[in-house]
């Protein structure tokens, strides 16, 4: 199935969307990005984009950090994305990658006096952590402190180092600690523990990304399961003694964690609360739960584009 990109203000085949070797963002990580999931509902023959607006609001904030003035409003970005997805006509789960980047072909470390550009493309992408339950390790790479709390490409080098270290050591995912030794995040996910019937997740302090799946999980746990989430510092040892553990992220959805640093979490199987939340989440993102349809933007047929 051919894929397309919105690039230089028009929709083109993805193979034609190219940037020059001197592009500033390529050299200095001066770009802001998002990852958005679109989920296929086969019964309805419909694609639902999940929390589209929230992702573009976060992109807008990331752009502010980099002094980038996007030439489009959040509404316009949503519309561009819906039209792109319609053109791609995928009948499977896929991923949408918007990127706002310093596009000047000009070198020199800075963020001022540079042009910026916006592109977005979509491509089929099944499960990110392609496993039913993850084996994780605590990374030797620490989560960077006092960096902007925004989704900027340059910040991802630590995550990339941590992820590869984990994979090369035979694990599925890395869990990074802050420089103070508290649990921070996975390389591309937030982390939750189940302890005594409650959810516990690292407090959104320091530089943790404001997580859209994290917020979704907290809301669904409360509304649908009557389970509160405690946001606080989490010690490394608490990882080993938790009843259950799971990761949340747009790419990873809700992924159970079976093992951390060679210790089984609970009995090493998917925990009961994790299982329930996973099920609720997968219904919600596919547009199968009418209560949460406002989070889902339907794309195909002449469904009204959610302007909310
Ligand atoms: N942490 C990091 C470092 C990430 O890249 C992501 C993915 N955006 C997440 C957490 C999860 O955030 P979200 O649920 O908003 O996708």
């Amino acid at each position: 199935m051919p894929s397309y990109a919105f690039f230089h203000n028009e929709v083109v085949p993805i193979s034609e969307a190219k940037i020059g070797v001197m592009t500033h963002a390529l050299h200095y990580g001066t770009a802001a990005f998002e990852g958005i999931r679109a989920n296929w509902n086969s019964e309805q023959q419909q694609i639902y984009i999940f929390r589209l607006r929230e992702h573009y609001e976060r992109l807008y904030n990331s752009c502010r950090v980099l002094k980038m003035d996007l030439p489009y409003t959040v509404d316009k970005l949503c519309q561009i994305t819906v039209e792109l997805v319609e053109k791609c006509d995928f009948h499977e789960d896929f991923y949408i990658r918007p990127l706002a980047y310093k596009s000047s072909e000009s070198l020199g470390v800075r963020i001022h006096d540079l042009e910026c550009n916006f592109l977005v493309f979509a491509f089929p992408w099944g499960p990110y952590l392609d496993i039913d339950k993850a084996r994780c390790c605590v990374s030797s790479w620490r989560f960077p402190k006092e960096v902007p709390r925004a989704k900027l490409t340059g910040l991802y080098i630590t995550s990339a180092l941590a992820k590869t270290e984990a994979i090369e050591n035979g694990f599925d995912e890395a869990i990074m600690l802050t420089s103070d030794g508290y649990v921070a995040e996975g390389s591309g996910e937030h982390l939750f523990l189940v302890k005594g019937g409650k959810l516990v997740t690292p407090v959104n302090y320091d530089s943790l990304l404001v997580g859209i799946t994290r917020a979704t999980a907290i809301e669904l746990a409360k509304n649908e399961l009557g389970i509160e989430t405690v946001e606080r510092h989490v010690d490394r040892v608490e990882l080993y003694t938790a009843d259950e553990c799971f990761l949340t992220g747009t790419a990873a959805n809700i992924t159970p964690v079976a093992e951390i640093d060679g210790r089984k979490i609970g009995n090493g199987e998917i925990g009961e609360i994790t299982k329930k939340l996973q099920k609720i989440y997968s219904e919600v993102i596919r547009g199968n739960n009418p209560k949460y349809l406002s989070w889902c933007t339907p794309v195909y047929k002449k469904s009204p584009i959610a302007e909310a």
Side-chain angles (χ1 to χ4, degrees):
M1 184 63 83
S3 196
Y4 295 89
F6 176 87
F7 184 65
H8 290 165
N9 237 340
E10 56 177 343
V11 174
V12 295
I14 206 160
S15 57
E16 289 175 21
K18 305 273 190 224
I19 60 163
V21 292
M22 283 187 72
T23 303
H24 195 270
L26 181 63
H27 296 268
Y28 306 114
T30 46
F33 71 111
E34 273 305 317
I36 309 173
R37 259 207 189 271
N39 301 292
W40 176 237
N41 184 317
S42 57
E43 270 164 32
Q44 297 178 24
Q45 295 287 295
Q46 182 59 283
I47 276 290
Y48 286 102
I49 308 178
F50 192 59
R51 306 201 78 166
L52 177 62
R53 197 182 169 80
E54 288 88 333
H55 280 283
Y56 278 123
E57 284 169 352
R58 188 168 68 182
L59 183 73
Y60 240 85
N61 287 336
S62 299
C63 285
R64 283 201 184 105
V65 178
L66 288 188
K67 289 176 169 271
M68 285 203 269
D69 288 323
L70 284 183
Y72 313 105
T73 60
V74 167
D75 282 333
K76 183 69 185 170
L77 291 169
C78 292
Q79 188 197 335
I80 288 169
T81 304
V82 166
E83 286 170 8
L84 175 78
V85 166
E86 224 168 352
K87 171 95 177 157
C88 290
D89 199 28
F90 296 131
H91 287 200
E92 60 192 302
D93 295 352
F94 62 94
Y95 191 76
I96 301 165
R97 166 52 51 83
L99 184 82
Y101 63 107
K102 298 284 182 182
S103 52
S104 295
E105 300 206 19
S106 157
L107 296 190
V109 177
R110 66 191 187 283
I111 57 168
H112 64 279
D113 288 343
L114 293 163
E115 281 172 13
C116 84
N117 226 316
F118 170 81
L119 59 83
V120 53
F121 57 89
F123 65 99
W125 211 11
Y128 176 67
L129 294 170
D130 199 6
I131 33 170
D132 63 345
K133 46 191 195 300
R135 294 175 56 248
C136 298
C137 61
V138 171
S139 182
S140 69
W141 294 96
R142 291 281 167 124
F143 192 76
K145 197 175 184 177
E146 288 174 13
V147 292
R149 197 167 146 186
K151 206 163 162 60
L152 309 180
T153 57
L155 295 179
Y156 271 75
I157 194 61
T158 318
S159 288
L161 290 164
K163 176 78 180 194
T164 292
E165 180 191 57
I167 297 290
E168 289 183 351
N169 287 330
F171 296 96
D172 303 308
E173 186 53 286
I175 297 169
M176 283 177 284
L177 304 181
T178 64
S179 53
D180 302 332
Y182 294 113
V183 175
E185 299 186 343
S187 70
E189 309 87 13
H190 291 99
L191 179 137
F192 285 78
L193 301 178
V194 178
K195 280 174 109 54
K198 283 192 179 156
L199 298 185
V200 177
T201 194
V203 66
N204 230 348
Y205 61 97
D206 288 348
S207 311
L208 255 65
L209 188 72
V210 178
I212 292 169
T213 320
R214 180 183 183 275
T216 304
I218 292 173
E219 195 166 337
L220 293 178
K222 183 162 190 250
N223 294 353
E224 303 303 314
L225 302 173
I227 294 177
E228 296 294 326
T229 302
V230 183
E231 299 179 56
R232 63 163 171 80
H233 288 292
V234 175
D235 283 331
R236 175 179 189 161
V237 167
E238 290 186 85
L239 296 174
Y240 305 153
T241 58
D243 304 326
E244 303 180 24
C245 177
F246 60 88
L247 301 169
T248 64
T250 297
N253 293 323
I254 292 182
T255 300
V257 175
E259 189 189 303
I260 301 174
D261 288 344
R263 282 114 174 142
K264 276 185 186 169
I265 307 303
N267 61 4
E269 295 302 323
I270 302 174
E272 282 308 307
I273 291 176
T274 305
K275 201 183 290 170
K276 283 187 197 154
L277 207 52
Q278 230 184 346
K279 182 159 184 296
I280 295 163
Y281 183 78
S282 74
E283 300 273 298
V284 165
I285 61 173
R286 240 163 266 288
N288 279 331
N289 187 329
K291 251 167 97 177
Y292 299 99
L293 267 183
S294 64
W295 285 345
C296 302
T297 303
V299 176
Y300 297 160
K301 297 185 248 132
K302 287 289 163 215
S303 314
I305 292 165
E307 265 151 16

